[in-house]
Amino acid sequence: MPNDKAPVTGEVQFRVRYAETDQMKVVYHANYLIWCEMGRTDLIRRLGTSYADIERQGIALAVIDASLRYHAAAKYEDMIRVRTTLVDAKSRSVTFEYTIENAETGARLVSARTTLASINGEGKLVAMPSELRRSLENAVA
Amino acid sequence: MPNDKAPVTGEVQFRVRYAETDQMKVVYHANYLIWCEMGRTDLIRRLGTSYADIERQGIALAVIDASLRYHAAAKYEDMIRVRTTLVDAKSRSVTFEYTIENAETGARLVSARTTLASINGEGKLVAMPSELRRSLENAVA
Amino acid sequence: MPNDKAPVTGEVQFRVRYAETDQMKVVYHANYLIWCEMGRTDLIRRLGTSYADIERQGIALAVIDASLRYHAAAKYEDMIRVRTTLVDAKSRSVTFEYTIENAETGARLVSARTTLASINGEGKLVAMPSELRRSLENAVA
Amino acid sequence: MPNDKAPVTGEVQFRVRYAETDQMKVVYHANYLIWCEMGRTDLIRRLGTSYADIERQGIALAVIDASLRYHAAAKYEDMIRVRTTLVDAKSRSVTFEYTIENAETGARLVSARTTLASINGEGKLVAMPSELRRSLENAVA
């Protein structure tokens, strides 16, 4: 029987901004969460939708859990690559994993995982629209 | 005849956050605009309203013009003071001036000025609610 | 025998800045890591030293692991309280836990934990100066 | 007589990040200064050097003056283009102008200008290295 699952990987590349450094002369640790968001935005766009469209349907995906392990530091002007995979999709939540690397050297900088919950305009947990849910489930790695 | 004008000065104090530094080991220059916003939020609160309340009335004050002169650098853990005065208030716009100092040494760090326009939910210029306008006009320095 | 241990709790309070919100009309999730840093900076200051002083000795404490659970959202102008405790101190690393609350309602917003490693100017793991280590060990909750 | 001047324009494109929005559902106004920095970093790279290299020579270019006019708002997921030109280069300072546009519609969002001073490790004004100065002067539009 054919497997109709199509694991999808988000992948974005960009240079470190000066504003992202701190006086330790490396990227400030909170910024990696912003980069994770860029990765999952890209993954969602590859699924044929966009996170902006999801919000226009009255649904927001809010981060409810995040964890990061920092292996090595990114520096100003480094070219960064974020690879994002979907590891779990339920009716009300979805979990992504991220590998953040130096795109030139391949060195792994950060591994991270976030879980997001589907909420409505009042901040209440709600089931995702079925089309979105199906498209996320099919993309689970 | 008595002058019923009551010039109001906003004044906030806080310590520089590590996240606000960059690899030059000083505060990244864009952050002073955030501090200006803290100053005018405080000034508006001293007028007896709050910027959050203004937005709940469907009005936003959007920055349309900003200028900053940088005299000296703020560093991590410095105690900062922002003094804000209202220098002009019209039906659809309002202009604030800011002096940002090191609160311990009194050294002047940045002088700035921003003009904000009153817009509605669709981003169109609109007159401010009359009560807000009157309270701003009375507070002009 | 008397216990000379003196568990220390950092505690900082501040208002949410407009810049910290996102278009979901709540605080952007990465900003809580910045608030955690403010909490541990305060705890270290209560120990009689300052993180700026530690860096002047050529030692940096770099975050190597972070985890956050988001319980409820902070909003613009909310008064926030961050309580920080030291839960582990070793020769080369130290672990902090954080409770971030709405200071007016007492509602718990985020619980977090970060581990930091002691590194030198070249980014190599090194033992902390013995005085700093002793002061951290005595403060473990 | 041939004009050996080669005006250079920096040009960068990128998508708006969720973290860059605020609760007005548009990009927070301070972020445009970060985008200006990306524009001048790119312009400097096109001159055959890199700002990271300049700093390795012990020179920093610190913003001493900034002004911005906001014409229209950028939104989440918009594709942004920043065009940067050099409008003045002196021995100790350099002035850039920026046009920030929506790359898809061509709509102008922000026009800005910043002047940067050349400082050494102690924050003192110093003349730029002659090679850097020559390369900047040749690139003035």
Side-chain angles (χ1 to χ4, degrees), chain D residues 26-66:
Chain D
V26 296
V27 168
Y28 183 72
H29 66 286
N31 290 319
Y32 294 92
L33 276 177
I34 298 175
W35 297 356
C36 290
E37 173 134 59
M38 294 167 69
R40 69 177 174 269
T41 294
D42 180 70
L43 190 159
I44 290 171
R45 200 182 294 117
R46 284 171 199 244
L47 295 180
T49 179
S50 88
Y51 182 69
D53 283 341
I54 295 173
E55 284 202 350
R56 277 187 281 268
Q57 296 169 46
I59 296 292
L61 296 176
V63 176
I64 55 169
D65 199 283

Side-chain angles (χ1 to χ4, degrees), chain C residues 118-134:
Chain C
S118 164
I119 59 173
N120 65 13
E122 285 77 46
K124 297 296 167 207
L125 265 179
V126 292
M128 289 180 217
S130 57
E131 200 187 347
L132 173 62
R133 186 185 174 180
R134 215 163 21 238

Side-chain angles (χ1 to χ4, degrees), chain C residues 6 17 35-36 41 53 57 64 73 81 83 89 96 119 122 129:
Chain C
R17 304 172 172 188
W35 296 355
C36 290
T41 294
D53 283 340
Q57 296 170 46
I64 56 170
R81 179 167 48 228
R83 295 182 199 277
F96 297 91
I119 59 173
E122 285 77 46

Side-chain angles (χ1 to χ4, degrees), chain B residues 5-9 138-141:
Chain B
K5 275 203 162 193
V8 177
T9 302
N138 278 329
V140 169

Side-chain angles (χ1 to χ4, degrees), chain A residues 2-141:
Chain A
N3 181 348
D4 64 350
K5 275 204 166 195
V8 176
T9 302
E11 187 175 317
V12 287
Q13 282 201 196
F14 52 88
R15 275 194 198 281
V16 173
R17 303 171 174 189
Y18 203 87
E20 292 172 329
T21 64
D22 65 25
Q23 68 180 36
M24 226 180 270
K25 291 177 177 278
V26 296
V27 169
Y28 184 72
H29 66 285
N31 290 319
Y32 294 92
L33 276 177
I34 297 174
W35 297 355
C36 290
E37 173 135 58
M38 294 167 69
R40 69 178 174 269
T41 293
D42 179 70
L43 190 158
I44 290 171
R45 199 181 296 116
R46 285 170 199 246
L47 295 181
T49 179
S50 89
Y51 182 67
D53 283 341
I54 294 172
E55 284 202 351
R56 276 187 281 270
Q57 294 169 47
I59 295 293
L61 296 177
V63 176
I64 54 169
D65 198 284
S67 58
L68 304 102
R69 306 214 72 191
Y70 299 84
H71 310 291
K75 300 200 169 161
Y76 174 54
E77 288 207 329
D78 282 354
M79 183 63 77
I80 302 299
R81 178 168 46 229
V82 182
R83 294 182 200 277
T84 307
T85 52
L86 235 159
V87 295
D88 194 27
K90 297 189 179 129
S91 73
R92 297 171 172 207
S93 72
V94 58
T95 298
F96 297 91
E97 285 185 356
Y98 313 87
T99 303
I100 303 179
E101 304 166 336
N102 180 310
E104 278 137 356
T105 66
R108 191 176 54 153
L109 306 175
V110 168
S111 358
R113 164 186 274 245
T114 62
T115 298
L116 292 89
S118 164
I119 58 173
N120 65 13
E122 285 77 47
K124 299 294 167 207
L125 267 179
V126 290
M128 289 180 217
S130 57
E131 200 187 346
L132 173 62
R133 185 184 175 182
R134 211 159 28 235
S135 122
L136 291 170
E137 281 172 350
N138 278 329
V140 170

Side-chain angles (χ1 to χ4, degrees), chain B residues 69-73 98-102 105-111:
Chain B
R69 304 215 74 192
Y70 299 83
H71 310 291
Y98 313 86
T99 303
I100 303 180
E101 305 166 336
N102 180 310
T105 67
R108 191 175 54 152
L109 305 175
V110 168
S111 356

